[in-house]
Amino acid sequence: MADQVRIWADGVLQPGFVGVTPPEWLRRRLDEGLGGVALFGRNIVDLDQLAALSAAVRAHNPAVVIALDEESGDVTRIEIGSGSTRPGNHALGAADDPELTASVAADIGDQLAAAGITLNYAPTADVNNNPDNPVIGVRSFGADPDLVSRHTAAWVRGLQSSGVAACAKHFPGHGDTDVDSHHGLPIVHADRERLARLELAPFRAAIEAGTQSIMTAHVLLPALDPAVPATLSAPVMDLLRIELGFTGLVVTDGIEMAPIKAQYGLAGAVVRAIAAGVDAVCVGGETADEATAILLRDALVQAVHDGTLSEQRLAEAAGRVAALASWSAAQATARQEAAARWRTGGGQPGLEAARRAVRTWKTATAEPLMKPAHVVEFTTSVNLAVDAATPWGVGGPLAEILPGTTVERLDAAAARNGGLPAALQAASGRPLVLVVRDAHRHDWLSTALRTALAERPDAYVVEMGVPGGEPVGSMHVATFGSAPVCGRAAAEVLTGAR
């Protein structure tokens, strides 16, 4: 039985690793029954390499769950180098066409199927009802629970039509927070009635749509459990299992994220999560080595031996991982067909979706850009879900339409230390385009925008985050996301190309 407990413990782990081929330790662990792997941007060069990597992983364990976080829009793993060719959730919510959302998600599924991925840690089902949220924002379909619910369901159906499992996140809701859970523990002050009406609505929709998995949130909800974060909370898992009736796989958000690791340690957090009712553990965003994978497996085994974790609960968790693997095996033909679609013409709905999301406000004197502009893109810090290397903005796409367009970026320090006057001088005699993300959340950025517009009221403003406040500038364009495909849609509007 000791060997069986160790196999179950290995079965619930989804560790990450470093490199674009499976390291020796990972191959060995897969041979011994490791149940999953989590892939990150560091593991990906291009689609062909990723497909080869997935095949190499699967050669050591055909039932392994291969997971990736591909939300599209601002959060992409497959297209880190070029930026996503599809808009993210906030843009899809702005367009508000569930069939369009389903087609974009199916396109993502086709690409993931071609890459050999079986589980996508998406969609984000959080209702972004706090405009100051630093970690959800444009990753959400919007602030209205009905809108978020219908698009979450559409996204799940679209993705899973390609044979790739969806994972609605972050249960029971991360939208009403002003703390990034990568760094601190957010508290959601909502009573049971509001949770049922607002935060939980999209998760009900995801379950009704057949989502194969749900990811937990590292948030504290006093109305459900005043002491323990949701990922480690039995009452929160009971809500999901009993009240919402979810029978599929429950997986943690990255278990090494600061508010969990700091209080409980990696090993302690993993044991608590599985004991509470979670089935699989995502780890490896920050600690991606064999020592971590062994530490977590051995902690689970020891917890069974000392009675902290019941053998039955661990077996149940491993069984749900196996059930997802069985579902994936049954979807093999669907993934083959999806992969073939991708290779013969994937990527079609992305630009059209981005175009349909754009909203524009113009003054009476606003004219389309007809000559090269000077573009100032104000850079703000991004949360850890967004790879800092991912391209964003309007300058690149605009320069393709209007050659000779110049682009510069200003962060807070540069804007305060002479960078803004210099940028305005560089735009003298030329059209000026000011590009921001979540301007309402950053005092320095709001100040810089007002200062620039005081001198150049004719400037064009592009908001690529969550819109807030009144439109400003001679033309104000909202894209609801900063991916290059959103930048392309904005550039077309600025130049009158559409």
Side-chain angles (χ1 to χ4, degrees):
M1 183 55 69
D3 287 344
Q4 182 61 66
V5 170
R6 187 162 50 251
I7 291 170
W8 288 332
D10 255 340
V12 303
L13 299 180
Q14 296 178 357
F17 60 93
V18 176
V20 296
T21 59
E24 186 278 331
W25 72 263
L26 182 65
R27 298 195 301 270
R28 176 166 31 82
R29 295 298 301 283
L30 288 165
D31 291 339
E32 295 170 357
L34 185 66
V37 295
L39 302 181
F40 297 86
R42 61 174 179 255
N43 303 123
I44 301 169
V45 175
D46 54 36
L47 195 67
D48 289 340
Q49 170 271 327
L50 181 55
L53 170 60
S54 298
V57 167
R58 193 168 288 109
H60 289 271
N61 180 359
V64 67
V65 174
I66 303 178
L68 184 72
D69 190 356
E70 184 63 36
E71 299 177 18
S72 77
D74 290 32
V75 180
T76 179
R77 301 292 177 254
I78 290 184
E79 298 181 301
I80 282 178
S82 61
S84 181
T85 52
R86 293 166 288 243
N89 286 2
H90 215 52
L92 295 173
D96 197 13
D97 179 348
E99 291 306 312
L100 177 65
T101 293
S103 70
V104 169
D107 191 56
I108 294 170
D110 289 356
Q111 187 178 26
L112 294 180
I117 305 301
T118 56
L119 171 62
N120 186 10
Y121 295 140
T124 296
D126 303 304
V127 180
N128 194 66
N129 55 326
N130 186 336
D132 292 328
N133 196 313
V135 68
I136 302 301
V138 294
R139 301 167 66 195
S140 166
F141 290 110
D144 176 73
D146 292 335
L147 179 145
V148 176
S149 294
R150 62 178 172 266
H151 286 278
T152 295
W155 211 100
V156 167
R157 287 194 298 268
L159 181 77
Q160 293 189 167
S161 71
S162 299
V164 177
C167 183
K169 62 187 184 185
H170 307 81
F171 185 84
H174 205 318
D176 189 12
T177 64
D178 56 11
V179 174
D180 184 346
S181 56
H182 291 94
H183 306 296
L185 181 63
I187 301 176
V188 177
H189 296 287
D191 59 25
R192 293 289 297 249
E193 184 278 329
R194 198 198 82 172
L195 284 170
R197 172 175 49 83
L198 199 151
E199 279 85 358
L200 298 182
F203 293 99
R204 288 196 194 93
I207 292 168
E208 291 172 4
T211 188
Q212 290 296 307
S213 65
I214 287 177
M215 177 177 281
T216 62
H218 298 331
V219 300
L220 188 70
L221 292 99
L224 300 176
D225 189 329
V228 180
T231 295
L232 315 180
S233 171
V236 171
M237 291 304 104
D238 287 346
L239 171 67
L240 178 58
R241 296 296 191 193
I242 299 171
E243 295 189 34
L244 273 62
F246 182 62
T247 59
L249 184 78
V250 178
V251 60
T252 71
D253 203 347
I255 203 68
E256 70 267 52
M257 288 163 61
I260 301 298
K261 181 179 178 180
Q263 183 168 357
Y264 302 99
L266 281 181
V270 167
V271 170
R272 284 173 173 263
I274 299 297
V278 170
D279 304 309
V281 176
C282 171
V283 63
E286 300 170 49
T287 49
D289 52 45
E290 182 178 16
T292 298
I294 291 175
L295 171 70
L296 302 187
R297 180 199 64 188
D298 290 351
L300 290 167
V301 171
Q302 182 59 40
V304 170
H305 289 164
D306 65 24
T308 307
L309 172 64
S310 76
E311 185 177 292
Q312 180 182 5
R313 171 80 271 275
L314 181 59
E316 177 186 53
R320 287 207 180 98
V321 175
L324 180 65
S326 295
W327 180 88
S328 293
Q331 300 296 313
T333 298
R335 285 197 302 279
Q336 289 170 359
E337 294 172 351
R341 282 195 302 271
W342 177 260
R343 294 189 182 99
T344 58
Q348 298 304 312
L351 181 56
E352 180 59 27
R355 287 167 171 164
R356 289 177 59 183
V358 170
R359 299 292 180 268
T360 307
W361 174 90
K362 302 178 183 179
T363 65
T365 59
E367 296 287 344
L369 285 171
M370 302 301 292
K371 61 180 182 178
H374 186 63
V375 181
V376 181
E377 296 176 338
F378 293 94
T379 62
T380 52
S381 60
V382 294
N383 64 76
L384 289 179
V386 182
D387 193 295
T390 304
W392 70 280
V394 174
L398 187 60
E400 293 177 4
I401 298 175
L402 294 176
T405 291
T406 53
V407 187
E408 67 174 299
R409 287 190 170 173
L410 294 179
D411 61 13
R416 293 186 182 115
N417 295 312
L420 184 56
L424 295 175
Q425 179 61 36
S428 179
R430 304 173 61 190
L432 173 64
V433 180
L434 305 171
V435 184
V436 297
R437 291 194 284 189
D438 295 347
H440 66 282
R441 288 204 303 111
H442 304 278
D443 290 341
W444 75 268
L445 182 49
S446 297
T447 299
L449 196 56
R450 287 194 301 270
T451 300
L453 289 171
E455 184 169 331
R456 289 290 304 268
D458 62 325
Y460 303 73
V461 177
V462 181
E463 170 60 82
M464 305 195 80
V466 176
E470 294 296 321
V472 293
S474 66
M475 182 185 294
H476 187 103
V477 179
T479 62
F480 303 91
S482 64
V485 68
C486 299
R488 173 71 192 192
E492 292 177 346
V493 169
L494 290 170
T495 58
R498 283 185 62 86

PDB file of all heavy atoms in Angstrom, residues 136-162:
ATOM      1  N   ILE A 136      -6.824  40.971 -12.298  1.00  0.00           N
ATOM      2  CA  ILE A 136      -7.822  40.419 -13.215  1.00  0.00           C
ATOM      3  C   ILE A 136      -8.027  41.390 -14.379  1.00  0.00           C
ATOM      4  O   ILE A 136      -7.549  41.169 -15.469  1.00  0.00           O
ATOM      5  CB  ILE A 136      -9.140  40.107 -12.479  1.00  0.00           C
ATOM      6  CG1 ILE A 136      -8.867  39.117 -11.334  1.00  0.00           C
ATOM      7  CG2 ILE A 136     -10.146  39.508 -13.459  1.00  0.00           C
ATOM      8  CD1 ILE A 136      -8.270  37.790 -11.759  1.00  0.00           C
ATOM      9  N   GLY A 137      -8.715  42.484 -14.171  1.00  0.00           N
ATOM     10  CA  GLY A 137      -8.817  43.516 -15.206  1.00  0.00           C
ATOM     11  C   GLY A 137      -9.280  42.977 -16.545  1.00  0.00           C
ATOM     12  O   GLY A 137     -10.348  42.368 -16.651  1.00  0.00           O
ATOM     13  N   VAL A 138      -8.470  43.193 -17.587  1.00  0.00           N
ATOM     14  CA  VAL A 138      -8.863  42.796 -18.945  1.00  0.00           C
ATOM     15  C   VAL A 138      -8.885  41.290 -19.137  1.00  0.00           C
ATOM     16  O   VAL A 138      -9.306  40.807 -20.189  1.00  0.00           O
ATOM     17  CB  VAL A 138      -7.945  43.432 -20.007  1.00  0.00           C
ATOM     18  CG1 VAL A 138      -8.104  44.942 -20.033  1.00  0.00           C
ATOM     19  CG2 VAL A 138      -6.489  43.038 -19.802  1.00  0.00           C
ATOM     20  N   ARG A 139      -8.474  40.538 -18.128  1.00  0.00           N
ATOM     21  CA  ARG A 139      -8.587  39.083 -18.210  1.00  0.00           C
ATOM     22  C   ARG A 139     -10.031  38.626 -18.007  1.00  0.00           C
ATOM     23  O   ARG A 139     -10.363  37.474 -18.289  1.00  0.00           O
ATOM     24  CB  ARG A 139      -7.675  38.432 -17.180  1.00  0.00           C
ATOM     25  CG  ARG A 139      -6.203  38.791 -17.353  1.00  0.00           C
ATOM     26  CD  ARG A 139      -5.394  38.390 -16.138  1.00  0.00           C
ATOM     27  NE  ARG A 139      -5.339  36.952 -15.972  1.00  0.00           N
ATOM     28  CZ  ARG A 139      -4.944  36.344 -14.859  1.00  0.00           C
ATOM     29  NH1 ARG A 139      -4.598  37.076 -13.798  1.00  0.00           N
ATOM     30  NH2 ARG A 139      -4.914  35.030 -14.779  1.00  0.00           N
ATOM     31  N   SER A 140     -10.876  39.520 -17.490  1.00  0.00           N
ATOM     32  CA  SER A 140     -12.285  39.224 -17.247  1.00  0.00           C
ATOM     33  C   SER A 140     -13.127  39.664 -18.436  1.00  0.00           C
ATOM     34  O   SER A 140     -12.794  40.618 -19.136  1.00  0.00           O
ATOM     35  CB  SER A 140     -12.749  39.954 -15.983  1.00  0.00           C
ATOM     36  OG  SER A 140     -14.161  39.974 -15.878  1.00  0.00           O
ATOM     37  N   PHE A 141     -14.267  38.995 -18.619  1.00  0.00           N
ATOM     38  CA  PHE A 141     -15.192  39.409 -19.674  1.00  0.00           C
ATOM     39  C   PHE A 141     -15.870  40.731 -19.335  1.00  0.00           C
ATOM     40  O   PHE A 141     -16.362  41.411 -20.238  1.00  0.00           O
ATOM     41  CB  PHE A 141     -16.254  38.328 -19.902  1.00  0.00           C
ATOM     42  CG  PHE A 141     -15.722  37.068 -20.539  1.00  0.00           C
ATOM     43  CD1 PHE A 141     -15.632  35.902 -19.799  1.00  0.00           C
ATOM     44  CD2 PHE A 141     -15.313  37.051 -21.859  1.00  0.00           C
ATOM     45  CE1 PHE A 141     -15.152  34.724 -20.368  1.00  0.00           C
ATOM     46  CE2 PHE A 141     -14.832  35.885 -22.448  1.00  0.00           C
ATOM     47  CZ  PHE A 141     -14.738  34.717 -21.696  1.00  0.00           C
ATOM     48  N   GLY A 142     -15.913  41.094 -18.045  1.00  0.00           N
ATOM     49  CA  GLY A 142     -16.534  42.357 -17.702  1.00  0.00           C
ATOM     50  C   GLY A 142     -16.986  42.415 -16.254  1.00  0.00           C
ATOM     51  O   GLY A 142     -16.618  41.570 -15.436  1.00  0.00           O
ATOM     52  N   ALA A 143     -17.801  43.432 -15.953  1.00  0.00           N
ATOM     53  CA  ALA A 143     -18.244  43.680 -14.581  1.00  0.00           C
ATOM     54  C   ALA A 143     -19.656  43.195 -14.313  1.00  0.00           C
ATOM     55  O   ALA A 143     -20.114  43.250 -13.169  1.00  0.00           O
ATOM     56  CB  ALA A 143     -18.152  45.182 -14.285  1.00  0.00           C
ATOM     57  N   ASP A 144     -20.338  42.735 -15.336  1.00  0.00           N
ATOM     58  CA  ASP A 144     -21.717  42.273 -15.187  1.00  0.00           C
ATOM     59  C   ASP A 144     -21.754  40.748 -15.126  1.00  0.00           C
ATOM     60  O   ASP A 144     -21.262  40.079 -16.037  1.00  0.00           O
ATOM     61  CB  ASP A 144     -22.562  42.763 -16.361  1.00  0.00           C
ATOM     62  CG  ASP A 144     -23.972  42.236 -16.301  1.00  0.00           C
ATOM     63  OD1 ASP A 144     -24.742  42.710 -15.454  1.00  0.00           O
ATOM     64  OD2 ASP A 144     -24.309  41.319 -17.089  1.00  0.00           O
ATOM     65  N   PRO A 145     -22.334  40.172 -14.065  1.00  0.00           N
ATOM     66  CA  PRO A 145     -22.286  38.707 -13.926  1.00  0.00           C
ATOM     67  C   PRO A 145     -23.017  37.959 -15.030  1.00  0.00           C
ATOM     68  O   PRO A 145     -22.610  36.850 -15.403  1.00  0.00           O
ATOM     69  CB  PRO A 145     -22.928  38.454 -12.555  1.00  0.00           C
ATOM     70  CG  PRO A 145     -23.702  39.681 -12.243  1.00  0.00           C
ATOM     71  CD  PRO A 145     -22.980  40.805 -12.903  1.00  0.00           C
ATOM     72  N   ASP A 146     -24.081  38.540 -15.574  1.00  0.00           N
ATOM     73  CA  ASP A 146     -24.792  37.865 -16.654  1.00  0.00           C
ATOM     74  C   ASP A 146     -23.934  37.801 -17.909  1.00  0.00           C
ATOM     75  O   ASP A 146     -23.863  36.773 -18.595  1.00  0.00           O
ATOM     76  CB  ASP A 146     -26.116  38.569 -16.954  1.00  0.00           C
ATOM     77  CG  ASP A 146     -27.120  38.429 -15.822  1.00  0.00           C
ATOM     78  OD1 ASP A 146     -27.022  37.449 -15.051  1.00  0.00           O
ATOM     79  OD2 ASP A 146     -27.995  39.307 -15.693  1.00  0.00           O
ATOM     80  N   LEU A 147     -23.283  38.928 -18.233  1.00  0.00           N
ATOM     81  CA  LEU A 147     -22.390  38.953 -19.395  1.00  0.00           C
ATOM     82  C   LEU A 147     -21.244  37.964 -19.202  1.00  0.00           C
ATOM     83  O   LEU A 147     -20.922  37.174 -20.120  1.00  0.00           O
ATOM     84  CB  LEU A 147     -21.860  40.366 -19.610  1.00  0.00           C
ATOM     85  CG  LEU A 147     -20.888  40.573 -20.782  1.00  0.00           C
ATOM     86  CD1 LEU A 147     -21.103  41.932 -21.424  1.00  0.00           C
ATOM     87  CD2 LEU A 147     -19.428  40.455 -20.347  1.00  0.00           C
ATOM     88  N   VAL A 148     -20.619  37.995 -18.033  1.00  0.00           N
ATOM     89  CA  VAL A 148     -19.493  37.097 -17.777  1.00  0.00           C
ATOM     90  C   VAL A 148     -19.951  35.648 -17.854  1.00  0.00           C
ATOM     91  O   VAL A 148     -19.237  34.784 -18.396  1.00  0.00           O
ATOM     92  CB  VAL A 148     -18.844  37.400 -16.417  1.00  0.00           C
ATOM     93  CG1 VAL A 148     -17.739  36.398 -16.108  1.00  0.00           C
ATOM     94  CG2 VAL A 148     -18.282  38.824 -16.390  1.00  0.00           C
ATOM     95  N   SER A 149     -21.134  35.358 -17.375  1.00  0.00           N
ATOM     96  CA  SER A 149     -21.639  33.985 -17.376  1.00  0.00           C
ATOM     97  C   SER A 149     -21.833  33.465 -18.793  1.00  0.00           C
ATOM     98  O   SER A 149     -21.406  32.351 -19.118  1.00  0.00           O
ATOM     99  CB  SER A 149     -22.963  33.907 -16.606  1.00  0.00           C
ATOM    100  OG  SER A 149     -22.772  34.192 -15.241  1.00  0.00           O
ATOM    101  N   ARG A 150     -22.483  34.255 -19.638  1.00  0.00           N
ATOM    102  CA  ARG A 150     -22.748  33.737 -20.986  1.00  0.00           C
ATOM    103  C   ARG A 150     -21.473  33.584 -21.803  1.00  0.00           C
ATOM    104  O   ARG A 150     -21.358  32.659 -22.614  1.00  0.00           O
ATOM    105  CB  ARG A 150     -23.783  34.596 -21.709  1.00  0.00           C
ATOM    106  CG  ARG A 150     -23.448  36.033 -21.979  1.00  0.00           C
ATOM    107  CD  ARG A 150     -24.587  36.713 -22.765  1.00  0.00           C
ATOM    108  NE  ARG A 150     -24.390  38.144 -22.883  1.00  0.00           N
ATOM    109  CZ  ARG A 150     -24.906  39.049 -22.045  1.00  0.00           C
ATOM    110  NH1 ARG A 150     -25.632  38.653 -21.016  1.00  0.00           N
ATOM    111  NH2 ARG A 150     -24.683  40.337 -22.237  1.00  0.00           N
ATOM    112  N   HIS A 151     -20.498  34.458 -21.565  1.00  0.00           N
ATOM    113  CA  HIS A 151     -19.253  34.322 -22.326  1.00  0.00           C
ATOM    114  C   HIS A 151     -18.349  33.236 -21.744  1.00  0.00           C
ATOM    115  O   HIS A 151     -17.621  32.579 -22.488  1.00  0.00           O
ATOM    116  CB  HIS A 151     -18.546  35.676 -22.399  1.00  0.00           C
ATOM    117  CG  HIS A 151     -19.213  36.615 -23.352  1.00  0.00           C
ATOM    118  ND1 HIS A 151     -18.990  36.579 -24.712  1.00  0.00           N
ATOM    119  CD2 HIS A 151     -20.152  37.580 -23.146  1.00  0.00           C
ATOM    120  CE1 HIS A 151     -19.737  37.493 -25.305  1.00  0.00           C
ATOM    121  NE2 HIS A 151     -20.452  38.116 -24.375  1.00  0.00           N
ATOM    122  N   THR A 152     -18.392  33.041 -20.435  1.00  0.00           N
ATOM    123  CA  THR A 152     -17.652  31.929 -19.850  1.00  0.00           C
ATOM    124  C   THR A 152     -18.151  30.611 -20.422  1.00  0.00           C
ATOM    125  O   THR A 152     -17.356  29.741 -20.821  1.00  0.00           O
ATOM    126  CB  THR A 152     -17.802  31.926 -18.319  1.00  0.00           C
ATOM    127  OG1 THR A 152     -17.183  33.102 -17.787  1.00  0.00           O
ATOM    128  CG2 THR A 152     -17.151  30.701 -17.696  1.00  0.00           C
ATOM    129  N   ALA A 153     -19.476  30.444 -20.472  1.00  0.00           N
ATOM    130  CA  ALA A 153     -20.048  29.217 -21.023  1.00  0.00           C
ATOM    131  C   ALA A 153     -19.660  29.037 -22.487  1.00  0.00           C
ATOM    132  O   ALA A 153     -19.294  27.933 -22.924  1.00  0.00           O
ATOM    133  CB  ALA A 153     -21.565  29.241 -20.872  1.00  0.00           C
ATOM    134  N   ALA A 154     -19.724  30.122 -23.264  1.00  0.00           N
ATOM    135  CA  ALA A 154     -19.370  30.043 -24.682  1.00  0.00           C
ATOM    136  C   ALA A 154     -17.902  29.669 -24.861  1.00  0.00           C
ATOM    137  O   ALA A 154     -17.543  28.866 -25.733  1.00  0.00           O
ATOM    138  CB  ALA A 154     -19.673  31.370 -25.367  1.00  0.00           C
ATOM    139  N   TRP A 155     -17.048  30.254 -24.030  1.00  0.00           N
ATOM    140  CA  TRP A 155     -15.608  29.990 -24.118  1.00  0.00           C
ATOM    141  C   TRP A 155     -15.312  28.527 -23.793  1.00  0.00           C
ATOM    142  O   TRP A 155     -14.533  27.864 -24.489  1.00  0.00           O
ATOM    143  CB  TRP A 155     -14.867  30.910 -23.155  1.00  0.00           C
ATOM    144  CG  TRP A 155     -13.488  31.345 -23.543  1.00  0.00           C
ATOM    145  CD1 TRP A 155     -13.140  32.539 -24.087  1.00  0.00           C
ATOM    146  CD2 TRP A 155     -12.258  30.611 -23.388  1.00  0.00           C
ATOM    147  NE1 TRP A 155     -11.776  32.601 -24.294  1.00  0.00           N
ATOM    148  CE2 TRP A 155     -11.215  31.428 -23.875  1.00  0.00           C
ATOM    149  CE3 TRP A 155     -11.959  29.351 -22.904  1.00  0.00           C
ATOM    150  CZ2 TRP A 155      -9.885  31.027 -23.878  1.00  0.00           C
ATOM    151  CZ3 TRP A 155     -10.620  28.942 -22.912  1.00  0.00           C
ATOM    152  CH2 TRP A 155      -9.609  29.777 -23.395  1.00  0.00           C
ATOM    153  N   VAL A 156     -15.955  28.020 -22.757  1.00  0.00           N
ATOM    154  CA  VAL A 156     -15.764  26.619 -22.378  1.00  0.00           C
ATOM    155  C   VAL A 156     -16.194  25.699 -23.517  1.00  0.00           C
ATOM    156  O   VAL A 156     -15.478  24.771 -23.901  1.00  0.00           O
ATOM    157  CB  VAL A 156     -16.544  26.294 -21.090  1.00  0.00           C
ATOM    158  CG1 VAL A 156     -16.629  24.785 -20.855  1.00  0.00           C
ATOM    159  CG2 VAL A 156     -15.892  26.977 -19.887  1.00  0.00           C
ATOM    160  N   ARG A 157     -17.373  25.952 -24.057  1.00  0.00           N
ATOM    161  CA  ARG A 157     -17.869  25.102 -25.145  1.00  0.00           C
ATOM    162  C   ARG A 157     -16.949  25.180 -26.356  1.00  0.00           C
ATOM    163  O   ARG A 157     -16.657  24.160 -26.999  1.00  0.00           O
ATOM    164  CB  ARG A 157     -19.286  25.514 -25.533  1.00  0.00           C
ATOM    165  CG  ARG A 157     -20.349  25.129 -24.512  1.00  0.00           C
ATOM    166  CD  ARG A 157     -21.743  25.270 -25.115  1.00  0.00           C
ATOM    167  NE  ARG A 157     -22.036  26.645 -25.489  1.00  0.00           N
ATOM    168  CZ  ARG A 157     -22.641  27.526 -24.702  1.00  0.00           C
ATOM    169  NH1 ARG A 157     -23.016  27.160 -23.486  1.00  0.00           N
ATOM    170  NH2 ARG A 157     -22.873  28.754 -25.117  1.00  0.00           N
ATOM    171  N   GLY A 158     -16.499  26.381 -26.690  1.00  0.00           N
ATOM    172  CA  GLY A 158     -15.632  26.528 -27.849  1.00  0.00           C
ATOM    173  C   GLY A 158     -14.324  25.794 -27.689  1.00  0.00           C
ATOM    174  O   GLY A 158     -13.895  25.059 -28.577  1.00  0.00           O
ATOM    175  N   LEU A 159     -13.661  25.994 -26.550  1.00  0.00           N
ATOM    176  CA  LEU A 159     -12.380  25.327 -26.318  1.00  0.00           C
ATOM    177  C   LEU A 159     -12.543  23.819 -26.345  1.00  0.00           C
ATOM    178  O   LEU A 159     -11.781  23.105 -27.015  1.00  0.00           O
ATOM    179  CB  LEU A 159     -11.784  25.767 -24.985  1.00  0.00           C
ATOM    180  CG  LEU A 159     -10.429  25.137 -24.657  1.00  0.00           C
ATOM    181  CD1 LEU A 159      -9.316  25.815 -25.451  1.00  0.00           C
ATOM    182  CD2 LEU A 159     -10.120  25.204 -23.171  1.00  0.00           C
ATOM    183  N   GLN A 160     -13.519  23.312 -25.622  1.00  0.00           N
ATOM    184  CA  GLN A 160     -13.649  21.862 -25.484  1.00  0.00           C
ATOM    185  C   GLN A 160     -14.163  21.201 -26.756  1.00  0.00           C
ATOM    186  O   GLN A 160     -14.027  19.983 -26.910  1.00  0.00           O
ATOM    187  CB  GLN A 160     -14.517  21.530 -24.274  1.00  0.00           C
ATOM    188  CG  GLN A 160     -13.828  21.926 -22.979  1.00  0.00           C
ATOM    189  CD  GLN A 160     -14.506  21.438 -21.711  1.00  0.00           C
ATOM    190  OE1 GLN A 160     -13.910  21.505 -20.638  1.00  0.00           O
ATOM    191  NE2 GLN A 160     -15.730  20.960 -21.792  1.00  0.00           N
ATOM    192  N   SER A 161     -14.693  21.982 -27.699  1.00  0.00           N
ATOM    193  CA  SER A 161     -15.053  21.409 -29.000  1.00  0.00           C
ATOM    194  C   SER A 161     -13.815  20.934 -29.748  1.00  0.00           C
ATOM    195  O   SER A 161     -13.912  20.118 -30.668  1.00  0.00           O
ATOM    196  CB  SER A 161     -15.813  22.437 -29.843  1.00  0.00           C
ATOM    197  OG  SER A 161     -14.959  23.488 -30.293  1.00  0.00           O
ATOM    198  N   SER A 162     -12.650  21.457 -29.341  1.00  0.00           N
ATOM    199  CA  SER A 162     -11.383  21.035 -29.950  1.00  0.00           C
ATOM    200  C   SER A 162     -10.744  19.868 -29.211  1.00  0.00           C
ATOM    201  O   SER A 162      -9.639  19.444 -29.558  1.00  0.00           O
ATOM    202  CB  SER A 162     -10.400  22.211 -29.991  1.00  0.00           C
ATOM    203  OG  SER A 162     -10.913  23.279 -30.760  1.00  0.00           O
TER     204      SER A 162
END
